[in-house]
Structures are given as C-alpha cells and as structure tokens.
Amino acid sequence: MEGSVLADGVGPVRLLQVLKSSASQLNPPAFYHGDGDGNSVASCGSEVLSRYGTLDAPPHHDFYTNTEVWGRRRRFRPSLYELYTNPENNGQPPVYEETMGEDRGGDNSSDDCDDEPKEAPTEPTRFGWVQGVMIRCMLNIWGVILYLRLPWITAQAGIGLTWVIILLSSFITGITGLSTSAIATNGKVKGGGTYFLISRSLGPELGGSIGLIFAFANAVAVAMHTVGFAETVTDLMSESGAVMVDRTNDIRIIGVITVTCLLGISMAGMAWESKAQVLFFIVIMVSFASYIVGTIIPASPQKQAKGFFSYKADIFAANFVPGWRGSDGSFFGMFSIFFPSATGILAGANISGDLKNPTVAIPRGTLMAIFWTTFSYLIISATIGSCVVRDASGALNDTMLSTSGDDCVGLACRYGWDFSECINNGTCAYGLINHYQTMSMVSAFSPLISAGIFGATLSSALACLVSAPKVFQCLCKDKLYPLIGFFGKGYGKNNEPLRGYLLTYVIAACFILIAELNTIAPIISNFFLCSYSLINFSCFHASITNSPGWRPSFRFYSKWLSLLGALCCVVIMFLLTWWAALIAFGVVFFLLGYTLYKKPDVNWGSSVQAGSYNMALNHCVNLNQIQDHVKNYRPQCLVLTGPPSHRPALVDLVHSFTKGLSLMMCCNVVSVGSSSGATQEATSEGHVVWLNQRKVRSFYRGVVAPELRSGVNMLLQGTGLGRIRPNVLMMGFKKDWRRDPPQAAHDYIGIMHDAFDLQFGVCLLRMKEGLDTSTPQSHSEKSFSHIITVNTEVHDGKLHSIPCVIFPKTVFQKKQGKKTIDIYWLSDDGGLTLLLPYLLTRRKRWSRCKVRVFVGGDADKKEEQRAEVMALIKKFRLGFKDVEVLTDIYQSPQSVTHTHIHSHIHTNKPTHLCFICEFQSLRQIRLNEVLQEFSRDAALIVITMPVARRGRCPTTLFMAWLDFLSRDLRAPVLLVRGNQENVLTFYCQ
C-alpha cells in the first residue's frame, strides 16, 4: 500500500526514492570485479543499489580457484572485514586482517575491467582419456615381456599357473587402479603422477620417498624395454649373419643408440611423443592380428620343425602343467619376471598435468587398459600353449621317417617329428621353452611381430622416459630434499623437464650396460610393488580417517580391498627377493626419517593429519574414563604471555619443562573492548607462526575481555579438552605494582586467588632485566603491530604470514653449564616446587646443573632434619643429593638492608602504601638476604611462594612480600606454589 508507513515513519515510496538517490554514493570495492555479466551483486562498472545493501556475493568458481582465466578479471570473495565495515569509513583493515594471496587493491578502477592481454597465452597440449591414458597405459603394459618372455613363462609355469601369475598381477594392478582412481578424483590433480597422488594423500614424508623410488624405477624400466628391443634386433642380425662385436656388446650398443633416439623424441615435446605412441599402438594391433591368424592357418614343415603344430588338445594338456627348468624355474621366479609387464598402469597418471580432465581420464583409461591387456595376456598364453611344444630342434630332417618310433621322446612324436636327440642332450634351440622369438615364428607374417616388438618395447621405453622426469620434476619443485632442485626447471609451453630427461637418460644408459633382460626385470619389480603398496595404503588411510575432505567422485573402490592390495604387495616383495625388499624399505625409511627431521614447510591436508586428529580426539575422550593418579601428574601450564613474542623468556622457561611431556598454552587477554581490532589481535595466526618459528611446542589462546582478571578467569575455566587441561598458572612478576593504581595490584593478586579456587598451582617468574621485550605505545593495537607486523609469502596459492621480528635467544635457551639450580623448599605445597626443577634437569642444556635444596630448620636439630629431607627426596627418586638446612632464616634482617628498604619505600611510596612499613614481613627481607648470600651465581632460583590469607592480608602488603623476597637477584627467580595436592609419590600404586 502506497500510503502505509514503515515502523520508522518512512513510507515505501519515499524509501525507494532514498535508495535510488543513495545508489550513486557507493561504488563497489576495486577488487570486486566480475565478468560484466551482471550476475554478481557488485559487478564491474555497476553501482551498489543501496547504502544499506550488503556486499555478499553469490557463489562463484573464482572464489575457490587459485588460477587466473585469460580474458577476464578474476573475482574475489569479500572478506569478513569488508562485509561489516562502514563503507563511508575508508580506513584500511588492520595489518593482521586475513586477506587473499592475490593483490586486490592498488590502483584498479572500474575501467580496468575492459583491459585484456593483447594475446592469449599459448595453450599447452592436453589429452583425453583414450589417447592420454588408455593407449598410453596399454602400450606401457604391452612391453618386452609380452613378446619375448610370455611364451617362455608359459612353458615354464604351464598355462594354468601362467594364468594364475597373470591374474595375480592383474589383481594387484586392478586394486591399485581402483585406489589410484579414488585418489585422483579427490580434487584437482596436477603434474607429478604417482608422487603427487601419494604425497598429497599421505603427506610429504612417504610421498617424497616414493617419488624418488618411483622415478628411479621408471628410469630403470626404460633400460629394461630398450634392452628387449636391442635383444630382438640382435637376434634378427644374427639370423642374417651380421654381428658387430658379440651378442652382449651388440645389445649394449644398440640399446644406447636407441635410448638416445628416444631422448630426442621426448625432448621434442609431448605432442610428438603422443603421435609416436599412436603409431606404435597401430603397429602392435596389426602384429596381434598377424599372430592370431598365424595360429589358425596350417603349420608348414619349417614351423613344425620348430615345434608349431597349430591347435592341438594334447599340446594344450601337456603345456597346461608346469615344466620348471633352470635356476629361475619357480612360481615366484616367473612372477618376478612377468610382473614388470603389468606395471604400466600409472603411465597415464604420471602425465596428469597434461590431461584435459584427469579426474575422468585417469579412472576410465587406467581401468580399461588393465582389462584389455589382461584379456590379451590370457589369450596369448592360452593360444601359444595350445600350438607349440616345449622342445624342438628346428631341423627339417628330424622326422619319424628317419628314425624308429619306439625310441621317440616328446609330444612331437605324435605328429611325425622326432626331437629325441636334442631333448636328451638339452640342446634344442626351438620350442616354447627355448626360443624367445616363438611368437614371431607362429605369426602369419613374422616381420609384423618384429614390428610389434619394436612398437611395444619402444613405446614402453618412451612412456617410462617421459614418466620418470615428470614425477621427479614435481618432487624437485616441492623442495623436500636438497641438491635436486636443479632438475625441477621446466621449459616451453608444456613446462618440459629437459634436465630430468637427461638424468633419466644417464640412469637408463647405465642399466642398459647390464644387457640381460632377466636380470633387470626383477630389480624394478620391488620398486613398483613398493609404490603400489603405498598407493593402496594411501587410499585405505584416507578412507579410514573419515576426513570430510575425502570425497572422491569415483565410488567403485573399497578401503578394505585397498588394504588387502597393500598387504599383498608387501608379501610378494619379500617372496620375490627378500634382500631387495629390505633395500627398498630401507631407502623408504631413510628418506622418511630425513623428511621427518627436516620438517618441510608444506601443508597438503594429508590423511596423516586427519589421522592424527582422530587419534588425538579418541585418546582425549578415552582419558575421561580414567581417574587421575599422582603417578601420572604432569604440570600442564597456562602461561599468561600476552602476545608470546612480548615475553620470550617466560615462553622459553615453561617450554623447557613441558616440551614433549605435557601441555603448554600461551594465553593473551586483550582488554581494549570488543572491537574488531581487539578480536583480531587476540586471535591472529601471527602468534602461532611465531611459536612455530621458535620451535615452541605450545598452543595459543587469546580472549577479549573488559579487564584482565575476568579474561584470565575465562581462560582458567574454559581452556583445555577433557583431561587435557591446564593445572598450573604461570605468570610474570608485576614489577610496576607501586606505580599502578591499587586496583591493578588487587586484580593481580585476585588472579592468583581465582587460580587457587580452581585448584591450579601458581608460578611467578621474575628476572632482573624484566620479561616484557615489547615497546610500549599509547595504543595497544599499535604496540601489537610493532611486534607482530608480518611479512607475507605466497605458497601453494595461499598467503602465509611470517613474523618479521625474531627475538634473540634468552637465558633459558642457552646451555647452563655447571651452575646450580637452587630450590628453597620452605613450605610443603604438594611437591610442585621440587618437580619443576627435576623436569628442567632432564633437558640437555640443564643436565649438568647441580641441584641444591634449602630447607628451614633449627640449629640444634640440623643434621636430623637434613637426614629426614634427604630420605624423603630419595624416596621420590629425584636424584637430588645436596640438601642444606638454613637455621638463620627466622632471624631479623640486617640493619643496613632493613634501613635501605625502609628508606626506599618512604621515598618512592604513593599515599596508599604508607601502611606497608607497619605491616611488612621481616621474614621476606631476611629470606632475600639469604638468597643474596647463597644463590648469587645460581642459574635459577626456585622458591616456595608464600600465600597470604584472603580478606586478612591487604593485596599491596602481599605484593610487597613477593617484591622484597625476589628483588635484586641476578639469577631468574621462580616463585612456585602448588595447590596443596600431592604431585609426587613414593608408592608403586
């Protein structure tokens, strides 16, 4: 209704006019540009509809990406500060405001939306799932083993066990393919292949070690496939009577020449390499067709002399059972030789950075490649075993017509051939178990098989030659290990790792010199099995942690199947070659230990982090079912540091006895109101960064409160998780209590009383030079920024804060040598006064210090009291052997000291302290004299802190007690008061 009035007396029509008139007063932030499509709340060149409107933006792809799109400006989500700040206030956000990694501001204006690069960047070559993954994986699987060793393995193991070997290999690679598919679809996959998948799932520790091993295994695989090619060429040359040196050296020469040519193709770029792979695939398909046709057509006498008789049921039956021969004649011996032929399943994943859509291409292409290659292996082993006998001489005159049939040995006798002589002498040159080129002999046109061997071996070698540098390049860029960054540099539009190609070439050339295929193949089996084991374990671990971030779009996997695959890989590694398995795991653990020691500055949201959270949470919950016991007491400290960087000495002391032992929590109370700046100051990540850079194992907690005491009370009651909660309050001594108003001292002592009420122990640290290293300024926010002002660096597309101020070492970070730790155990507080120094002596820098325990006593019972204290300390098993009984601590202080302090108080006292001279405790003055006498050169003085009765002893008087007790001492003084509950026991239960 036009005439209706809103609650504030403004009609709708008038309100609309106000909104329209104010639209021109506000412009969107310069960083909040869009495409100009009008879909954003504040798109480029548009004006905000109302000064009362919101800057909230609808969801957009740009808000979540780390990359730019050519041709348009990238959008940015407005920060929380920008959403609730007053648009008329042009003030900049605080220095600790969390912002995006890219530059939002600057001189950008609305006109900048029309600015575009003059030329689009060159788009690198990208491949689909067929050409990029399936064909590449099939070519890598159809390698030298298929043509040159599968017939021999069939003869050794028989068709039945050969199928078991093939299916077992495919079972392992199939499970690994499912695990790879799950990991690869759990987010955008960049370059780096297997290393990228494992490192981003299990973290840099295991990822880095497997990255090195897998890259090395691929480099050796280049040598294996190249040797297979060279072996075929050498055999063809020998048939023609051409020999360069001898068979072994010919293989070496041809192999090195071949890998050099492959290096040239690889360095020409991925486009050339991909075209070569397609050509090789066509050649292999033609060779398969020639082989299948050859098994069907009738056998010629020449082929029969070499053992081929076409399909025969009795040949299939004879070759179905094993016929082990030689040193390699065993199931696992054959498996170790065959398994490398199934290891090409990661050829597509290894070039993940060159795929159009890795999350679709890797699962589809990998699984299809595993299925078709497994099917082809089963068919070839069954057909070759059904057509060719194990032994044949190759001589045309070895027929039944020239010999007596009664003495004929072997299955060929049924088909009119007698190979008895070579069988008995072991000199048969042909047959399934003797002739590696059996498939070529069976084929309808043998040169096509030779071409297929060339295509399979060269394509596999080329794929490995590309995979190894790609994986190694990603590892180098992550800077997990020293001295390898040189190989991480990329060249060209595809960022080709040319230096990595050269390194792979050198490694491959070295292994080519072995020139023996059966020796090279088992070497890489363990490395590939180790990689597959960790891929499966990565999938299992990511699934079992139930992390919300584990959301693979590929659903056809099972975490328990992945675990089974990982265990099978480990077991097979040791069954194949136990010493090689130990070497592989030794390398993994060595690199793992190095990475754990160096702690690289990377954070990939790994499943190890998720698992750590789960373990911590479960343990914390389980602790609730266990009652506290004095034997398990740990001093868990809530440290009032303010910003931790302001009081490094306090932080370092507490860390000395809590590191790796108990909880430490640095706390900061910001009492400047509940403004945005105060909240940011209390919760800034810069404090945690400072603690991490100082290698302090501590949590940080900041709160905003109207005043200090209420904020500390919040921390005392609210910090911790279950039984993992503080039980000791650690503070710095308030040196300026005389200059502050009486309320300040009252609040300070009130904090101690609040802690005692909540059953906390309380410790105060006093140092002669003071604790606060910050520069006081008029405004707390300025003071904060002076110390915590941060530099920034961009890493993984995110902005990281780094404190620009690192304070020098404090006295608690230095080696204390053979100084003393003096404990003045003047009152029994439950044993905390003894426990804290004992924990200090367990640290390396304090271990050489001598601990002296001072107690009060009577002169006439000095030795008796000393013996009692020594016996008690011995029962506590603390190892303190120096106990001193002080018999003069109850005497009056020296007149000089008394006069000096009396004069100091009356000279500097404010009005409200006049009564202190009447009520001061002469005992605290006397104790200070004793400390000056006995502990002048101590490394640390620990004193049981006196406790004043609340309501009876004025807070200023109690502050004077603490001041007189600890003043003018060169050594740091730690005043300790437990909560009067035992923290030490000499009982076993």
Side-chain angles (χ1 to χ4, degrees):
M1 294 177 59
E2 189 172 308
S4 64
V5 179
L6 299 179
D8 58 359
V10 180
V13 176
R14 175 57 182 160
L15 178 61
L16 183 59
Q17 294 173 350
V18 171
L19 295 179
K20 289 181 178 180
S21 64
S22 62
S24 60
Q25 299 180 18
L26 286 176
N27 290 322
F31 54 81
Y32 195 55
H33 289 299
D35 297 341
D37 56 6
N39 293 330
S40 63
V41 175
S43 62
C44 183
S46 67
E47 295 180 341
V48 182
L49 291 178
S50 168
R51 68 189 302 163
Y52 304 103
T54 176
L55 288 180
D56 274 324
H60 196 275
H61 174 271
D62 283 3
F63 297 162
Y64 300 92
T65 187
N66 294 328
T67 58
E68 301 281 351
V69 177
W70 180 83
R72 67 175 175 85
R73 294 284 302 277
R74 178 183 166 191
R75 298 182 181 183
F76 295 96
R77 181 192 297 110
S79 70
L80 186 61
Y81 178 85
E82 291 150 0
L83 288 178
Y84 65 70
T85 190
N86 183 0
E88 296 180 354
N89 182 6
N90 294 325
Q92 295 297 320
V95 293
Y96 38 80
E97 173 65 18
E98 197 170 307
T99 58
M100 297 294 292
E102 292 77 10
D103 184 16
R104 291 181 167 191
D107 299 330
N108 297 332
S109 63
S110 59
D111 296 333
D112 292 337
C113 291
D114 299 329
D115 295 338
E116 294 182 356
K118 295 180 180 180
E119 296 181 1
T122 304
E123 179 68 19
T125 305
R126 303 294 188 200
F127 306 107
W129 72 273
V130 175
Q131 184 179 359
V133 181
M134 189 184 77
I135 291 180
R136 184 176 298 274
C137 289
M138 292 176 71
L139 288 173
N140 210 12
I141 295 172
W142 284 332
V144 60
I145 303 297
L146 170 66
Y147 288 99
L148 298 183
R149 291 299 182 270
L150 184 59
W152 175 71
I153 292 173
T154 304
Q156 288 270 11
I159 297 174
L161 286 183
T162 299
W163 278 28
V164 172
I165 292 173
I166 294 171
L167 293 176
L168 178 60
S169 301
S170 298
F171 174 75
I172 295 173
T173 57
I175 293 177
T176 307
L178 295 175
S179 301
T180 302
S181 301
I183 299 173
T185 58
N186 191 51
K188 185 176 180 180
V189 179
K190 299 180 181 179
T194 306
Y195 160 70
F196 187 89
L197 297 178
I198 296 179
S199 62
R200 270 57 177 179
S201 179
L202 281 180
E205 296 82 8
L206 285 173
S209 56
I210 287 302
L212 278 179
I213 286 178
F214 192 76
F216 178 76
N218 273 277
V220 178
V222 175
M224 182 188 75
H225 295 296
T226 305
V227 167
F229 169 81
E231 187 177 294
T232 302
V233 174
T234 303
D235 290 341
L236 293 175
M237 291 172 57
S238 62
E239 290 178 3
S240 304
V243 178
M244 290 184 288
V245 183
D246 53 50
R247 176 180 171 81
T248 301
N249 286 305
D250 287 356
I251 292 175
R252 291 169 178 166
I253 295 171
I254 295 172
V256 172
I257 294 174
T258 302
V259 78
T260 304
C261 296
L262 294 178
L263 175 66
I265 297 175
S266 301
M267 298 184 72
M270 288 297 297
W272 284 93
E273 187 267 350
S274 181
K275 292 175 183 178
Q277 295 284 28
V278 173
L279 177 62
F280 291 146
F281 183 78
I282 295 174
V283 171
I284 291 174
M285 290 295 100
V286 173
S287 71
F288 282 168
S290 176
Y291 165 76
I292 295 297
V293 172
T295 61
I296 298 173
I297 62 177
S300 64
Q302 290 80 6
K303 290 187 177 181
Q304 290 182 354
K306 295 179 180 179
F308 173 67
F309 298 98
S310 193
Y311 291 105
K312 304 293 181 182
D314 52 355
I315 295 179
F316 175 83
N319 288 336
F320 190 82
V321 297
W324 308 116
R325 295 184 191 177
S327 59
D328 295 328
S330 65
F331 177 83
F332 286 105
M334 294 300 104
F335 182 86
S336 66
I337 294 174
F338 174 81
F339 185 75
S341 67
T343 57
I345 64 169
L346 298 177
N350 287 339
I351 62 164
S352 53
D354 299 303
L355 301 175
K356 292 179 181 177
N357 189 352
T359 57
V360 174
I362 292 176
R364 187 178 299 176
T366 301
L367 296 178
M368 289 294 290
I370 293 173
F371 172 78
W372 287 115
T373 53
T374 301
F375 179 76
S376 66
Y377 278 132
L378 295 174
I379 292 297
I380 291 175
S381 61
T383 54
I384 199 78
S386 302
C387 300
V388 184
V389 296
R390 282 191 170 95
D391 296 289
S393 64
L396 292 174
N397 57 353
D398 285 344
T399 61
M400 294 290 294
L401 299 176
S402 60
T403 59
S404 173
D406 297 337
D407 299 329
C408 186
V409 177
L411 194 60
C413 300
R414 302 181 185 181
Y415 309 112
W417 292 85
D418 185 3
F419 304 132
S420 303
E421 183 179 355
C422 73
I423 292 175
N424 293 330
N425 298 333
T427 58
C428 294
Y430 291 92
L432 203 60
I433 204 167
N434 302 304
H435 188 44
Y436 288 152
Q437 301 285 346
T438 302
M439 285 186 65
S440 179
M441 180 266 294
V442 172
S443 173
F445 186 58
S446 59
L448 289 178
I449 296 298
S450 299
I453 294 174
F454 294 164
T457 54
L458 294 179
S459 64
S460 298
L462 190 58
C464 293
L465 186 58
V466 170
S467 298
K470 293 282 186 181
V471 173
F472 194 59
Q473 181 186 36
C474 184
L475 176 64
C476 294
K477 287 185 175 181
D478 286 338
K479 300 178 180 179
L480 301 183
Y481 304 111
L483 307 178
I484 64 174
F486 173 81
F487 298 99
K489 183 176 176 58
Y491 298 86
K493 63 180 182 180
N494 273 55
N495 195 33
E496 296 291 343
L498 300 185
R499 298 174 180 177
Y501 285 135
L502 293 174
L503 178 63
T504 304
Y505 168 79
V506 172
I507 296 174
C510 292
F511 278 87
I512 286 173
L513 299 180
I514 297 176
E516 178 54 51
L517 189 62
N518 291 0
T519 302
I520 299 175
I523 293 176
I524 62 177
S525 292
N526 274 298
F527 289 122
F528 279 114
L529 281 167
C530 188
S531 301
Y532 291 171
S533 175
L534 280 178
I535 289 176
N536 287 308
F537 183 74
S538 299
C539 182
F540 166 75
H541 196 268
S543 302
I544 204 69
T545 56
N546 294 319
S547 172
W550 175 249
R551 303 185 302 274
S553 56
F554 182 81
R555 301 293 182 181
F556 304 102
Y557 73 96
S558 169
K559 59 185 176 184
W560 301 114
L561 200 59
S562 297
L563 178 61
L564 176 62
L567 294 176
C568 287
C569 290
V570 174
V571 171
I572 292 174
M573 284 178 66
F574 283 93
L575 290 177
L576 293 181
T577 314
W578 63 268
W579 56 266
L582 291 177
I583 292 176
F585 278 107
V587 173
V588 170
F589 288 130
F590 173 78
L591 296 174
L592 172 65
Y594 175 83
T595 311
L596 289 173
Y597 173 75
K598 296 299 291 185
K599 293 182 175 60
D601 185 20
V602 294
N603 183 10
W604 297 320
S606 66
S607 61
V608 174
Q609 295 171 336
S612 299
Y613 174 85
N614 286 351
M615 291 176 60
L617 183 62
N618 290 334
H619 287 317
C620 286
V621 173
N622 292 337
L623 281 176
N624 289 334
Q625 305 173 14
I626 304 173
Q627 293 184 352
D628 288 331
H629 194 282
V630 62
K631 286 176 61 178
N632 294 324
Y633 175 86
R634 297 166 185 260
Q636 305 188 101
C637 297
L638 190 154
V639 192
L640 296 184
T641 59
S645 57
H646 286 192
R647 296 171 180 83
L650 187 60
V651 172
D652 294 336
L653 172 63
V654 179
H655 184 243
S656 296
F657 56 78
T658 60
K659 179 182 179 182
L661 174 73
S662 58
L663 174 69
M664 176 181 176
M665 183 169 290
C666 295
C667 296
N668 182 17
V669 178
V670 180
S671 56
V672 292
S674 57
S675 66
S676 169
T679 304
Q680 292 289 346
E681 177 182 344
T683 60
S684 172
E685 286 295 320
H687 302 300
V688 179
V689 173
W690 185 89
L691 290 170
N692 290 339
Q693 287 197 344
R694 204 173 179 86
K695 297 182 180 179
V696 174
R697 297 170 62 91
S698 172
F699 296 99
Y700 170 81
R701 179 69 183 275
V703 296
V704 178
E707 41 84 25
L708 179 63
R709 182 175 180 181
S710 62
V712 175
N713 203 292
M714 293 164 55
L715 293 168
L716 290 172
Q717 298 189 60
T719 53
L721 181 66
R723 294 192 181 276
I724 308 296
R725 61 177 184 268
N727 52 29
V728 175
L729 174 65
M730 178 74 70
M731 300 189 294
F733 182 76
K734 186 175 180 61
K735 295 179 64 175
D736 56 354
W737 65 277
R738 292 184 181 84
R739 297 189 299 271
D740 288 348
Q743 185 62 35
H746 178 76
D747 289 343
Y748 182 79
I749 301 302
I751 290 172
M752 298 171 57
H753 290 157
D754 294 341
F756 289 139
D757 289 341
L758 295 170
Q759 295 298 302
F760 274 68
V762 176
C763 299
L764 306 179
L765 176 63
R766 182 172 188 177
M767 300 181 66
K768 187 175 182 180
E769 62 274 16
L771 294 174
D772 196 342
T773 58
S774 64
T775 303
Q777 297 185 22
S778 58
H779 193 276
S780 61
E781 189 172 306
K782 292 181 180 179
S783 176
F784 172 80
S785 64
H786 174 79
I787 299 299
I788 302 298
T789 297
V790 295
N791 296 327
T792 58
E793 68 173 12
V794 177
H795 183 64
D796 290 339
K798 296 182 180 179
L799 191 72
H800 296 266
S801 300
I802 301 176
C804 62
V805 177
I806 299 296
F807 291 97
K809 285 188 175 182
T810 64
V811 65
F812 300 114
Q813 289 183 308
K814 301 175 182 177
K815 290 186 177 181
Q816 303 300 321
K818 295 184 178 180
K819 296 181 181 179
T820 62
I821 299 177
D822 291 349
I823 305 173
Y824 289 82
W825 195 20
L826 305 178
S827 303
D828 196 320
D829 60 347
L832 187 63
T833 305
L834 294 178
L835 180 61
L836 295 184
Y838 167 73
L839 296 176
L840 275 179
T841 59
R842 297 173 63 180
R843 302 302 176 197
K844 186 175 181 180
R845 64 174 60 102
W846 294 86
S847 60
R848 300 181 65 188
C849 288
K850 177 182 179 181
V851 179
R852 301 188 299 179
V853 180
F854 297 88
V855 296
D858 299 328
D860 54 347
K861 298 181 180 180
K862 181 176 180 179
E863 291 302 322
E864 180 181 348
Q865 292 172 344
R866 181 181 181 278
E868 290 177 358
V869 175
M870 279 292 296
L872 184 59
I873 292 177
K874 186 176 181 180
K875 286 186 177 181
F876 286 147
R877 306 173 308 283
L878 296 175
F880 304 159
K881 299 179 180 179
D882 193 341
V883 175
E884 182 87 18
V885 178
L886 303 175
T887 60
D888 56 350
I889 59 173
Y890 304 112
Q891 299 176 1
S892 299
Q894 299 176 8
S895 57
V896 176
T897 306
H898 184 278
T899 304
H900 171 73
I901 296 178
H902 189 277
S903 172
H904 179 79
I905 293 177
H906 281 278
T907 301
N908 300 282
K909 63 176 176 54
T911 305
H912 66 273
L913 291 180
C914 291
F915 66 90
I916 288 184
C917 292
E918 305 297 333
F919 299 100
Q920 64 172 304
S921 173
L922 298 181
R923 183 185 179 190
Q924 310 307 326
I925 300 175
R926 175 56 186 160
L927 282 175
N928 181 263
E929 293 177 350
V930 173
L931 296 177
Q932 297 279 6
E933 179 182 354
F934 287 94
S935 303
R936 182 176 302 274
D937 298 320
L940 178 67
I941 302 173
V942 182
I943 313 173
T944 307
M945 183 171 61
V947 177
R949 289 194 176 187
R950 181 162 39 185
R952 296 288 185 91
C953 179
T955 55
T956 47
L957 176 59
F958 184 47
M959 284 300 304
W961 287 1
L962 301 180
D963 192 0
F964 296 155
L965 175 61
S966 58
R967 67 182 299 118
D968 298 331
L969 295 170
R970 288 190 297 184
V973 180
L974 184 64
L975 299 169
V976 180
R977 169 59 68 165
N979 63 356
Q980 303 303 112
E981 296 290 336
N982 288 345
V983 300
L984 295 174
T985 181
F986 43 77
Y987 291 105
C988 188
Q989 64 179 14

